[in-house]
Each structure stands twice: as C-alpha cells, then as structure tokens.
C-alpha cells in the first residue's frame, strides 16, 4: 500500500509517519514537505515542495490513501489570512490533486467543534475546509476531530496548564468529552484508518478515537 502525507513534520504528523513506517502493511510513504524531515527509512520518499505551487508536483501525488496533518498556529502564521492559506487552502489543494490522481481514500486531521458557520475563526476555518473536502467526493473520507492535543516536551505554557486542569476534571467525571489526547495515540488511530475499506464520509469524534485506541492495548 502506498500512502501520501502532508504535515509530516508537525506534532501529530511526525508520529503518523513513524507509525506508517513501522507497519508492515505499508509499502511506500511519500511525504511532501517544505523542509527535510530527515527521516531514514527505505519506505519513505521525501519531496521538497513549494506549497504555493502544489500542482507542480501533481505527478508525484499518486497512491492509495492521502493523509493531511498540515496545520499552523495564528502566532506562527502571523495573521488570520496567512493561517487560512496553510490550514485551508494548501490542504484543499492537496485533496483536489489526490482526487484528480484517482486516490480514493482521504484522511483529514480536523478538530473538535468545527463549523463553517462558527463565529470563532479557527472553528470556522476548519469547518469550511471539511465542507470543501467533502465536496471533492472521495470514495472514503475520514474527518478526525480530536480535542486538546498533548504534545511531547511542549513549551506552550497554556497547553500545559489546560492539560493539567482537564486531566484533573476528567478524574472526577467532569468534561469527559474534552479529554486531552497524546499526539502519538491520535497518530496511531489515523494510521489505522488507512486500512478501513467501508465507503462514505466518516467523522471520527473524540469518544470514537478513544474507543479505537482500545484496540491498541
């Protein structure tokens, strides 16, 4: 099986790539990155791309499954307009090219609470992307909607504080639907979705993500 991946150097994408490499059912992984991921594996083909000219790499985007874990923060992007380009435009273009090349299965890392009618910029952006990718009409589309992500060795103080608060509240039975999840565990679930064969659009919400994780144990 051949998998196409963007976002391979991000917090979740790094672990998605790791799990794909370790799975013997995967024969080849093509990652499209702005800067080298420095991955040493015979399975991995790295393609350095200009995401503003993604269509120039169309001939290399052929495979069985395409995964998008691409994303940035408002702080990293510098403005809402620039974040929209990365979190919406680049991913939608990747999806369209994959479809043109007859990739039948697309997996999109989205987020909890997204809606194209939301007044919250991030939720609206992600919701708009989901709707647009649905309209691309893949044979199978997985929309993965985790809550708060636990990144290893994060230096984001807000994340550390929120993680501690949510974890405590979860232990006393509060806000279970907002449980934080380790990016490595989320990545494993995304990797397993590669092998799903039922047709249609599937929204994988947080509880379903944790249910799937039970199969890992």
């Amino acid at each position: 099986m051949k998998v196409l991946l963007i976002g391979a150097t991000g917090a979740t994408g790094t672990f998605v790539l790791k799990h794909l490499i370790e799975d013997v059912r995967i024969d080849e992984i093509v990652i499209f990155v702005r800067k080298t991921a420095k991955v040493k594996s015979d399975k991995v083909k790295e393609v350095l791309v200009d995401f503003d000219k993604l269509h120039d790499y169309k001939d290399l985007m052929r495979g069985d499954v395409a995964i998008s874990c691409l994303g940035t923060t408002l702080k990293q992007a510098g403005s809402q307009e620039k974040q929209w380009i990365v979190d919406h435009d680049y991913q939608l273009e990747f999806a369209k090219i994959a479809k043109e090349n007859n990739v039948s299965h697309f997996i999109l890392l989205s987020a909890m609470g997204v809606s194209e009618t939301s007044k919250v910029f991030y939720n609206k952006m992600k919701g708009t992307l989901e709707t647009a990718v649905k309209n691309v009409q893949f044979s199978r589309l997985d929309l993965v909607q985790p809550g708060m992500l636990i990144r290893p060795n994060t230096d984001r103080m807000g994340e550390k504080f929120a993680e501690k608060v949510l974890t405590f509240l979860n232990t006393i039975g509060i806000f279970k639907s907002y449980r934080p999840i380790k990016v490595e565990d989320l990545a494993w679930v995304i990797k397993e979705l590669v092998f799903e064969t039922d047709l249609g659009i599937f929204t994988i919400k947080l509880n379903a993500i944790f249910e799937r994780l039970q199969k890992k144990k």
Side-chain angles (χ1 to χ4, degrees):
M1 178 176 285
K2 182 177 179 180
V3 178
L4 312 176
L5 172 65
I6 61 171
T9 60
T12 304
T14 297
F15 283 106
V16 170
L17 179 58
K18 175 178 179 290
H19 291 315
L20 290 171
I21 291 170
E22 293 173 349
D23 198 307
V24 296
R25 295 171 291 180
I26 302 295
D27 303 304
E28 184 179 358
I29 309 146
V30 186
I31 61 173
F32 301 89
V33 291
R34 195 189 308 273
K35 296 186 294 185
T36 181
K38 297 180 180 179
V39 176
K40 296 180 180 179
S41 171
D42 292 337
K43 283 187 177 183
V44 178
K45 177 179 180 180
E46 181 179 83
V47 182
L48 297 179
V49 301
D50 178 348
F51 278 93
D52 289 319
K53 300 176 181 178
L54 207 53
H55 213 271
D56 290 351
Y57 310 90
K58 177 180 177 180
D59 289 344
L60 300 173
M61 296 182 181
R62 301 182 188 277
D64 301 297
V65 183
I67 304 173
S68 178
C69 295
L70 195 65
T72 188
T73 64
L74 182 57
K75 182 178 180 180
Q76 290 171 331
S79 69
Q80 289 184 345
E81 291 77 13
K82 290 180 180 179
Q83 187 180 15
W84 187 282
I85 290 171
V86 175
D87 276 41
H88 178 279
D89 297 352
Y90 289 166
Q91 296 186 82
L92 179 57
E93 182 69 4
F94 178 61
K96 288 179 176 179
I97 295 170
K99 176 64 175 180
E100 288 175 15
N101 284 341
N102 297 313
V103 175
S104 60
H105 184 182
F106 194 86
I107 302 171
L108 176 67
L109 175 56
S110 187
M112 176 186 290
V114 303
S115 169
E116 61 183 333
T117 61
S118 176
K119 294 182 179 179
V120 178
F121 171 75
Y122 183 82
N123 290 0
K124 179 177 181 177
M125 175 177 63
K126 291 294 187 181
T128 303
L129 175 61
E130 282 197 3
T131 299
V133 175
K134 287 177 183 177
N135 290 334
V136 177
Q137 298 185 334
F138 288 96
S139 296
R140 179 181 176 102
L141 172 62
D142 290 301
L143 304 170
V144 185
Q145 297 182 345
M148 179 184 172
L149 304 181
I150 303 174
R151 299 171 173 85
N153 305 316
T154 182
D155 60 355
R156 301 177 188 177
M157 296 305 296
E159 283 188 3
K160 291 180 179 180
F161 177 74
E163 176 192 340
K164 290 179 180 179
V165 171
L166 280 174
T167 300
F168 169 73
L169 292 174
N170 291 166
T171 61
I172 59 175
I174 301 175
F175 287 141
K176 284 286 188 180
S177 60
Y178 293 91
R179 282 178 292 174
I181 183 170
K182 293 180 180 179
V183 288
E184 184 171 5
D185 289 337
L186 173 61
W188 184 86
V189 171
I190 291 172
K191 184 267 296 185
E192 285 296 297
L193 287 171
V194 166
F195 306 103
E196 295 286 349
T197 57
D198 290 342
L199 304 183
I201 298 173
F202 300 86
T203 301
I204 318 298
K205 295 183 180 293
L206 187 61
N207 286 341
I209 292 172
F210 278 106
E211 287 174 5
R212 288 171 178 269
L213 269 177
Q214 296 303 311
K215 299 177 182 178
K216 186 180 179 183
K217 299 176 180 179

